[in-house]
Amino acid sequence: MSNTSEGDDPIFDSLFPILFEALCMCFGYSPSSAQARKTFLRAFQETATVPQPPRNVNVCYFDLVPEKGPEPKYTTVRRKSDGHDEYSRTVPITLWLMIYGPEAEDYAWMIRTMLFSDAVKAKLRQNGIVPIPEPEEPISLPEIEGTRWRKRCDLSISLRILQSFTAAGSSVLVPPVLDFNRNTVP
């Protein structure tokens, strides 16, 4: 999987709406509200730098990045009742959050806490996403903007994504010929 800033990844693209909704749940926002749409924005969408909102506005940019390591293999196979086999794997990714505004640190701590609440975890799990508990603490990274500082706080949360696909199952149609020789058993 590639970094989303290097190109679109269809697997990641399907996760962004779910993560957007989970972030909204952390603050009690309706995903269709204007407040949600201006607070939670997908990062790295444009080839050029997008104008920043004013310093007094809280905004959270989020992105997904694959964790380092080899590509996970499909390890689980389950025979379904219709005779098809379902292959599954767990893909480790990181949710990056870059939060700007006067309440950047509060927003980061709120997300870090609420993402593990029962309601938000249930929503994520319904969609094959599992947040890994006890992420690192948010990091305060103020940025200079002109002659003033702009508050920024970054947070990264490890996630596991369940991926699966179904293929026609194969069955043994003719049993193998077995030759038991009782004389070879001591």
Side-chain angles (χ1 to χ4, degrees), residues 21-29 40 110-111 114-115 120:
E21 191 171 334
L23 290 169
C24 290
M25 288 175 73
C26 290
F27 289 87
Y29 297 158
F40 302 108
M110 177 72 88
I111 292 168
M114 294 304 294
L115 207 58
V120 178

Side-chain angles (χ1 to χ4, degrees), residues 72-80 82-91 161-171:
K73 307 280 187 242
Y74 285 92
T75 56
T76 306
V77 180
R78 183 175 63 94
R79 177 62 52 99
K80 297 173 72 173
D82 64 0
H84 286 80
D85 291 335
E86 182 178 53
Y87 296 85
S88 302
R89 70 179 181 172
T90 303
V91 179
I161 309 300
L162 178 65
Q163 293 179 325
S164 60
F165 72 91
T166 304
S170 60
S171 300

Side-chain angles (χ1 to χ4, degrees), residues 57-159:
V57 173
N58 295 304
V59 63
C60 174
Y61 295 98
F62 63 102
D63 195 20
L64 294 172
V65 178
E67 291 187 2
K68 293 185 185 331
E71 182 77 12
K73 307 280 187 242
Y74 285 92
T75 56
T76 306
V77 180
R78 183 175 63 94
R79 177 62 52 99
K80 297 173 72 173
S81 61
D82 64 0
H84 286 80
D85 291 335
E86 182 178 53
Y87 296 85
S88 302
R89 70 179 181 172
T90 303
V91 179
I93 63 172
T94 299
L95 171 62
W96 278 355
L97 301 144
M98 292 120 326
I99 306 158
Y100 291 87
E103 298 173 82
E105 289 183 28
D106 293 338
Y107 270 50
W109 280 102
M110 177 72 88
I111 292 168
R112 184 181 186 271
T113 301
M114 294 304 294
L115 207 58
F116 295 94
S117 68
D118 290 341
V120 178
K121 275 195 321 189
K123 174 70 178 172
L124 292 171
R125 286 178 185 259
Q126 287 172 355
N127 291 283
I129 303 171
V130 178
I132 303 303
E134 300 185 32
E136 292 184 22
E137 293 186 2
I139 299 170
S140 181
L141 298 166
E143 294 180 358
I144 192 85
E145 183 180 89
T147 59
R148 302 179 78 185
W149 287 99
R150 181 182 189 88
K151 283 189 169 186
R152 174 181 170 180
C153 196
D154 287 6
L155 175 63
S156 63
I157 298 175
S158 289
L159 305 173

Side-chain angles (χ1 to χ4, degrees), residues 46-62:
E46 304 294 329
T47 56
T49 303
V50 179
Q52 291 281 355
R55 227 181 343 274
N56 63 347
V57 173
N58 295 304
V59 63
C60 174
Y61 295 98
F62 63 102

